[in-house]
Amino acid sequence: MFTSQDFVAGQNYDLKDVLIEVNKKQNPFVTFLMSKTVKATSPQVHWITEEIADSAVTLAEGGDAPAFVKDTLTPRDNYLEIFAATATVTNTAQYSKAVGINDLLAHEVEKKTKAIKRRMENKFIHGTKGYSNGVYTTDGILAQIHPDHRVTGALTADAFEEAIGKLYDAGVSDEILVFAPARIKKQLNELGNVEFYARDKFLGFDMEQYITVFGTVNFILCEELGNNKFFALNPNYIEMPVLIPFHAQVEAVSGSKKSVFLETQAGVNLLNDKAAVSFEITQA
């Protein structure tokens, strides 16, 4: 973290590294997405989901060419949400000595960065796409999953395997990340249908590998989901488009205080809506 002695009014500082480093374990989904960033050129992003049709045939000797069968191309879009906060301290507070803090404004910038990352974690999971009066909101990962891949019911061994099996049937089970809160992870351990394989570090937070009938599944604890949801995805089909990189802009001095404006505009795109599956636990 830089200190306030480096601040120049009106200057911008790229704080992407600060956003990556803070709250790695508390906000693992955003930390993961920071490794999947792509440059956006507008606040609305578009992509095409391509489905390969069952168009191949067995041809008779000397037969005519089969009729052309068009693959399904589904247009998709999402908005990029603006996340912002302002770090402000009075000159009195800045020049006073706080125990363990030698620069209060730099400390405030770090705290506001954490707040932005918490909000991004929530919206990138639970958000709903919309635009009204200049305000963009982004569709979270749960809203972009294909309806057939949204599983509800009691969490049983068979139900969990069926959920992961949907990725297998869609042909995207070569890599599977499961984001789940700790209590659901404990329930899954007790089901006994997954076999622990290894524990590793992934982008600065803990990841546990388990063996299932549908391949290796990597579990990452994610508390923003609450206590009744988890989702699994293939990381090759997700990206984080960024229009405004996360930056700090030093505001002009206003009276007896100093301020730094923090901002980014970003979203999450699930490039294939069948490359993820969600599970919501409901009681009978």
Side-chain angles (χ1 to χ4, degrees):
M1 171 63 71
F2 49 76
T3 62
S4 65
Q5 68 182 9
D6 300 316
F7 293 165
V8 176
Q11 189 167 353
N12 279 284
Y13 297 87
D14 184 354
L15 292 189
K16 179 180 178 181
D17 290 343
V18 178
L19 189 64
I20 292 173
E21 290 300 319
V22 299
N23 287 5
K24 279 190 173 182
K25 292 185 177 180
Q26 291 88 345
N27 305 129
F29 189 50
V30 173
T31 300
F32 158 68
L33 287 173
M34 294 292 290
S35 69
K36 310 287 288 185
T37 58
V38 296
K39 177 61 179 173
T41 57
S42 72
Q44 186 177 22
V45 290
H46 302 266
W47 69 98
I48 299 293
T49 297
E50 183 172 353
E51 303 245 359
I52 299 176
D54 187 12
S55 56
V57 302
T58 299
L59 195 65
E61 180 181 353
D64 294 332
F68 171 73
V69 178
K70 187 177 180 179
D71 296 326
T72 302
L73 300 176
T74 306
R76 301 288 302 277
D77 72 287
N78 199 5
Y79 291 121
L80 306 185
E81 192 162 338
I82 299 175
F83 302 92
T86 300
T88 299
V89 297
T90 66
N91 289 347
T92 298
Q94 175 69 7
Y95 287 99
S96 299
K97 297 299 181 184
V99 177
I101 301 174
N102 58 10
D103 191 310
L104 188 60
L105 184 55
H107 180 61
E108 283 295 312
V109 168
E110 183 176 9
K111 288 199 301 182
K112 296 305 182 185
T113 301
K114 291 180 179 179
I116 287 176
K117 194 170 185 180
R118 284 198 303 268
R119 184 167 182 81
M120 291 174 71
E121 182 90 352
N122 177 273
K123 299 307 287 291
F124 286 173
I125 294 175
H126 303 289
T128 301
K129 179 180 68 177
Y131 175 76
S132 177
N133 298 321
V135 178
Y136 298 95
T137 57
T138 192
D139 251 350
I141 178 69
L142 297 180
Q144 297 183 51
I145 295 174
H146 192 281
D148 292 344
H149 282 215
R150 300 176 190 176
V151 181
T152 61
L155 183 57
T156 64
D158 289 342
F160 173 75
E161 287 188 346
E162 182 179 344
I164 299 301
K166 289 181 179 294
L167 300 181
Y168 183 85
D169 293 338
V172 293
S173 62
D174 50 319
E175 295 182 52
I176 301 177
L177 294 180
V178 176
F179 289 84
R183 286 177 174 80
I184 288 183
K185 176 63 168 51
K186 182 174 182 293
Q187 288 180 257
L188 290 171
N189 288 346
E190 293 170 351
L191 294 178
N193 63 318
V194 293
E195 180 181 348
F196 176 73
Y197 177 68
R199 181 176 288 108
D200 201 356
K201 284 288 186 181
F202 178 70
L203 301 176
F205 45 84
D206 295 330
M207 179 178 73
E208 294 184 345
Q209 293 185 326
Y210 282 74
I211 304 299
T212 75
V213 295
F214 296 111
T216 302
V217 175
N218 302 289
F219 283 93
I220 298 168
L221 296 184
C222 181
E223 298 306 324
E224 189 61 43
L225 282 158
N227 290 323
N228 69 331
K229 292 180 183 178
F230 68 87
F231 66 90
L233 60 86
N234 184 318
N236 297 313
Y237 294 89
I238 194 168
E239 64 184 19
M240 176 182 168
V242 178
L243 182 61
I244 303 175
F246 184 61
H247 68 281
Q249 179 175 309
V250 183
E251 302 290 281
V253 175
S254 177
S256 185
K257 64 178 182 294
K258 296 181 179 180
S259 299
V260 176
F261 173 66
L262 306 170
E263 181 189 31
T264 187
Q265 186 168 7
V268 55
N269 292 346
L270 182 61
L271 302 179
N272 184 326
D273 58 3
K274 291 186 177 180
V277 62
S278 64
F279 197 116
E280 181 176 359
I281 301 173
T282 57
Q283 302 299 325

